[in-house]
Amino acid sequence: MAPTIALPFWAQSKPHHHHHQHGEVSATPEAEVLRKRNEELEKELKKSVEREEKMKEELEKTWKRLKVAEEAEERLCSQLGEFEAEAVDQARAYRARVVDLVEQLSAAQKLLQSMASQ
């Protein structure tokens, strides 16, 4: 859309009458030009408002997706913390069981050695 320059009413020229080949006289009154310009601006405004509404809808959808993602992240972090605590407990229990088995094996070897030396 080309920029327009508004002139004061006293500086504007009167509409010109053009004579066409068939002797017709066509005049474009200023009011008609303004009416067409107004229609163009109204169409552009309507398109702009529609674009704005679409953008608002998209923003709202994106906001909802963000909230869902944040809630999911919180749940995952909580679960991860629980799994880590459970893994630590299992590792401690496993280590205690290994220490217990080592002690039992050591005691069995001592018993075997004492029986073999008799």
Side-chain angles (χ1 to χ4, degrees), residues 13-116:
S13 62
K14 302 289 181 211
H16 298 299
H17 295 281
H18 299 286
H19 296 284
H20 292 285
Q21 298 170 359
H22 303 290
E24 298 174 7
V25 176
S26 70
T28 307
E30 292 172 12
E32 181 66 18
V33 171
L34 291 175
R35 186 188 64 75
K36 286 182 179 180
R37 178 71 178 135
N38 193 37
E39 285 177 5
E40 291 173 10
L41 290 173
E42 286 176 357
K43 285 178 186 176
E44 289 177 27
L45 178 62
K46 184 178 178 183
K47 287 179 184 176
S48 176
V49 168
E50 288 172 358
R51 279 193 308 269
E52 183 180 354
E53 286 300 317
K54 276 186 173 181
M55 298 280 286
K56 282 182 183 178
E57 290 172 9
E58 286 299 316
L59 181 61
E60 192 172 323
K61 288 177 187 176
T62 302
W63 181 255
K64 287 178 182 178
R65 287 195 303 267
L66 176 63
K67 294 302 288 178
V68 167
E70 286 176 344
E71 291 169 3
E73 180 187 20
E74 287 175 16
R75 284 193 304 274
L76 288 172
C77 286
S78 175
Q79 289 176 349
L80 181 61
E82 291 172 10
F83 291 147
E84 287 174 342
E86 187 178 327
V88 167
D89 289 344
Q90 287 178 355
R92 286 182 181 148
Y94 178 76
R95 186 180 187 286
R97 179 72 177 134
V98 168
V99 168
D100 184 48
L101 290 173
V102 167
E103 289 173 358
Q104 287 180 23
L105 182 59
S106 177
Q109 285 176 337
K110 287 180 184 176
L111 181 61
L112 284 174
Q113 285 174 355
S114 68
M115 289 175 69

